[in-house]
């Protein structure tokens, strides 16, 4: 880029956190406009990444910068300072390279850089180096401040655990945690149920049925009317070390590690966990036993994904909840495979459901043509391949829904609303008739009478 040939430019501004000493997005853009006006350049676009860290997010991963690269017709990108674009040298060089490929260049209002000469490019790289050093210094100061707050027993910010609240520190500056009278009782009951052997799903259902207050969210819910607890939230509560009065501390945990180690906590010089008895609702030993109980369960919802024992895919995205009109999820309850509705939480056991559906498929549809053969012959040919079996089943099903039943009852085939595709017949050639009310096929009685 030759700076004397620039006619049209775009502006780019970025800010990670708004602070009193920060140069706001508006000020960055205003400085860029004045810079362009003084040189007679036409500003044809302004692109912003607000609330985006340059240390964590590469330029190409930011929405504002990606939109800038997708635009056409500019000769230069005006930024306020080099560190507004990147805090790492490698990120800066990649961003500059992307602009060079399209014949555009960088201009900084506060940093006198000229990317048209080797000397100017070298100076720009030096500025990027200093920006990276500054970012590392900021991280070091943040870590040190966090360690100091934790050592003093103060709340370091972030999400407030369920059952607790943040208050002004009565013994000095900052804030501390204390038990929340409105929610701590619900937390105790959830822990007690888990200690008694209840599954995470069962606890979530119980909290929903009892209208327990939900955790306070920073962001508004997508569906404000949905007051149901979910399994993930309950498991997070049961794995939080604050239950035993400990403070979570994971300074070395990678971002990709979504599940924190419940025993990665603040420890004293001797390596023992620091425990605040005023916050604890169970002992350290009880907390350890609770974690072992959760880890020992075979249900897919209770274990890490890498450790889960998969359930049969035969009914994956094949069964709808008749009340909510959403697909039932695969899961396990008390080590038994189930299907459950993510909205109303109804469940149905698969130990009896799967054989029931297979028996009806082979009895009622076995003679139907499928893949150059019949359903029965094809079923026998695929053997125990569950995904191939699923394909055969879905090729014959027009609708498969489960309606709610009486809690605690054994398998009830009246909950299964099954409708075959046109052409369904029994082996003796008698056609199956569906009820008009609920579009389900019912089983014939012993005298082969159709209940219509």
């Amino acid at each position: 880029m030759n700076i004397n040939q620039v006619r049209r430019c775009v502006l780019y501004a970025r800010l990670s956190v708004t602070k009193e000493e920060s140069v706001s997005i508006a000020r960055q853009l205003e400085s860029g406009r004045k810079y362009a006006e003084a040189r007679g350049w036409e500003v044809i676009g302004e692109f912003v990444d607000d609330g985006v860290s340059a240390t964590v997010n590469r330029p190409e991963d930011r929405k504002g910068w990606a939109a800038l690269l997708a635009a056409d017709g500019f000769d230069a990108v005006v930024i306020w300072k080099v560190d507004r674009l990147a805090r790492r040298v490698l990120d800066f060089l990649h961003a500059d390279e992307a602009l060079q490929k399209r014949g555009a260049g960088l201009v900084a209002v506060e940093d006198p850089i000229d990317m048209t000469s080797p000397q100017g490019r070298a100076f720009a790289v030096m500025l990027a180096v200093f920006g990276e050093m500054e970012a590392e210094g900021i991280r070091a100061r943040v870590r040190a401040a966090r360690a100091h707050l934790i050592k003093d027993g103060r709340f370091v910010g972030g999400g407030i655990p369920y059952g607790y609240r943040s208050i002004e520190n009565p013994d000095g500056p900052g804030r501390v945690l204390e038990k929340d009278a409105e929610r701590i009782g619900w937390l105790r009951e959830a822990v007690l149920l888990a200690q008694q052997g209840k599954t995470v799903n069962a606890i979530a259902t119980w909290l929903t049925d009892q209208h327990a207050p939900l955790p306070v969210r920073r962001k508004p819910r997508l569906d404000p009317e949905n007051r149901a607890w979910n399994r993930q939230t309950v498991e997070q509560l049961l794995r939080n070390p604050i239950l035993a009065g400990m403070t979570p501390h994971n300074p070395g945990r990678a971002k990709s590690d979504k599940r924190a180690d419940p025993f990665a906590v603040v420890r004293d010089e001797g390596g023992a966990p620091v425990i605040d008895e005023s916050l604890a609702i169970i002992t350290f030993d009880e907390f350890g036993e609770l974690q072992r109980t959760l880890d020992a369960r075979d249900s897919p919802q209770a274990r890490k994904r890498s450790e889960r024992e998969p359930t049969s895919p035969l009914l994956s995205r094949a069964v709808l909840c008749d009340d909510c009109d959403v697909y039932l999820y695969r899961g396990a309850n008390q080590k038994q495979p189930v299907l459950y509705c993510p909205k109303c939480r109804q469940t149905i056991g698969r130990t009896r459901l799967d054989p029931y559906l297979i028996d009806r498929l082979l009895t009622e549809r076995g003679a139907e043509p499928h893949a150059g053969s019949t359903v029965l012959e094809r079923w026998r040919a695929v053997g125990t391949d569950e995904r191939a079996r699923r394909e055969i089943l879905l090729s014959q099903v027009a609708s498969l829904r489960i309606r709610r039943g009486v809690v605690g009852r054994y398998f009830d085939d009246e909950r299964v609303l099954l409708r075959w595709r046109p052409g369904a017949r029994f082996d003796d050639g008698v056609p199956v008739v569906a009820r008009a009310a609920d579009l389900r096929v019912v089983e014939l009685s012993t005298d082969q009478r159709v209940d219509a």
Side-chain angles (χ1 to χ4, degrees):
M1 177 196 74
N2 188 333
I3 198 169
N4 296 321
Q5 296 177 352
V6 173
R7 294 293 180 268
R8 294 187 295 180
C9 67
V10 294
L11 310 182
Y12 176 74
R14 183 199 62 80
L15 188 65
S16 55
V17 181
T18 301
K19 298 179 181 178
E20 185 176 351
E21 65 273 17
S22 301
V23 179
S24 68
I25 293 290
R27 285 180 58 193
Q28 292 180 45
L29 294 176
E30 181 61 26
S31 297
R33 294 189 200 102
K34 291 181 178 179
Y35 185 93
E37 182 182 1
R39 285 153 182 78
W41 299 350
E42 178 188 359
V43 177
I44 65 171
E46 297 179 353
F47 301 89
V48 171
D49 281 311
D50 196 1
V52 177
S53 169
T55 303
V56 177
N57 301 279
R58 300 175 301 177
E60 58 267 30
D61 295 333
R62 307 173 202 157
K63 292 183 178 180
W65 185 258
L68 182 152
L69 293 180
D72 294 318
F74 61 87
D75 307 306
V77 176
V78 180
I79 58 179
W80 185 65
K81 291 182 68 174
V82 169
D83 63 7
R84 295 303 87 196
L85 175 58
R87 287 281 193 177
R88 297 175 63 244
V89 177
L90 192 58
D91 292 342
F92 173 78
L93 294 177
H94 284 168
D96 178 49
E97 182 181 17
L99 293 177
Q100 285 187 66
K101 289 180 178 179
R102 56 185 302 156
L106 279 170
V107 177
V109 175
E110 293 293 318
D111 296 329
I113 61 173
D114 176 9
M115 304 297 285
T116 63
S117 66
Q119 295 84 357
R121 296 183 63 79
F123 182 61
V125 172
M126 289 178 60
L127 292 175
V129 170
F130 286 123
E132 185 170 338
M133 292 174 60
E134 180 184 1
E136 182 55 40
I138 292 173
R139 285 196 297 270
R141 291 194 295 272
V142 169
R143 287 195 294 265
R146 176 181 172 84
H148 178 71
L149 291 177
I150 290 176
K151 185 177 181 180
D152 284 354
R154 287 188 276 167
F155 181 51
V156 297
I160 299 176
Y162 186 83
Y164 300 86
R165 64 176 184 168
S166 169
I167 62 170
E168 294 287 341
N169 184 7
D171 301 322
R175 303 184 70 82
V176 295
L177 291 179
E178 71 169 10
K179 293 175 181 175
D180 180 2
E182 180 184 3
R183 289 175 167 81
I184 195 66
W186 295 106
L187 181 61
R188 285 196 179 99
E189 287 297 324
V191 172
L192 180 60
L193 290 174
Q195 291 174 322
Q196 292 173 348
K198 296 293 183 181
T199 65
V200 174
N201 274 338
I203 297 172
T205 301
W206 179 82
L207 290 169
T208 299
D209 292 343
Q210 297 297 317
H211 305 290
L214 291 165
V216 178
R217 297 171 62 95
R218 296 184 191 177
K219 297 181 180 179
R221 293 180 176 274
L222 296 178
D223 182 6
E225 300 301 321
N226 182 10
R227 308 301 297 170
W229 283 75
N230 61 58
R231 168 187 58 78
Q232 293 88 345
T233 299
V234 173
E235 181 164 355
Q236 288 174 2
L237 303 187
L238 298 178
R239 291 190 179 276
N240 197 322
I242 199 172
L243 298 177
M246 300 181 289
T247 302
H249 185 49
N250 298 292
R253 184 163 62 95
K255 281 187 64 182
S256 60
D257 183 6
K258 300 299 183 183
R259 184 168 170 181
D261 179 0
F263 292 97
V265 297
V266 176
R267 298 176 178 271
D268 58 25
E269 296 179 354
V274 177
I275 296 177
D276 184 346
E277 296 291 349
S278 67
L279 299 179
I281 62 174
I282 57 177
T283 66
F284 176 80
D285 291 339
E286 289 172 334
F287 180 75
E289 183 61 31
L290 176 60
Q291 302 314 301
R292 287 188 287 273
T293 299
L294 294 173
D295 289 337
R297 289 175 178 167
D298 292 329
S299 65
Q301 297 85 355
R303 302 180 65 82
K304 298 179 182 178
R305 184 174 296 275
S306 60
E307 301 172 355
R308 294 178 184 176
E309 295 184 6
T311 55
S312 167
L314 176 67
L315 300 179
S316 176
R317 293 188 66 82
V319 187
L320 289 169
C321 173
D322 194 49
D323 289 345
C324 307
D325 203 35
V326 299
Y327 283 112
L328 299 186
Y329 288 3
R330 291 182 288 158
N333 188 7
Q334 299 290 346
K335 298 185 179 182
Q336 298 300 316
V338 299
L339 294 176
Y340 70 95
C341 176
K343 297 185 70 174
C344 71
R345 312 303 296 182
Q346 74 147 319
T347 63
I348 185 167
R350 295 187 61 184
T351 304
R352 294 283 304 277
L353 175 64
D354 287 25
Y356 169 79
L357 292 173
I358 293 172
D359 181 68
R360 288 194 58 179
L361 172 70
L362 301 182
T363 301
E364 301 174 16
R365 299 288 292 192
E368 289 292 323
H370 178 73
S373 180
T374 66
V375 168
L376 180 58
E377 291 170 345
R378 182 61 182 159
W379 185 272
R380 290 172 176 170
V382 300
T384 58
D385 186 338
E386 291 293 307
R387 297 191 181 279
R389 286 185 167 190
R390 175 180 178 274
E391 181 183 351
I392 297 172
L393 176 65
L394 294 186
S395 73
Q396 306 301 308
V397 171
S399 174
L400 177 54
R401 309 174 75 90
I402 300 296
R403 62 183 179 184
R404 298 184 70 87
V406 179
V407 177
R409 288 187 62 177
Y410 289 103
F411 177 73
D412 181 3
D413 58 7
E414 292 188 359
R415 295 180 61 193
V416 183
L417 312 181
L418 173 62
R419 181 165 61 91
W420 298 120
R421 296 184 185 274
R425 294 180 180 274
F426 289 100
D427 289 341
D428 60 1
V430 178
V432 174
V433 180
R435 290 182 183 176
D438 56 21
L439 295 178
R440 74 178 184 274
V441 173
V442 296
E443 299 224 63
L444 294 182
S445 62
T446 55
D447 61 358
Q448 297 295 300
R449 178 178 57 84
V450 177
D451 183 8

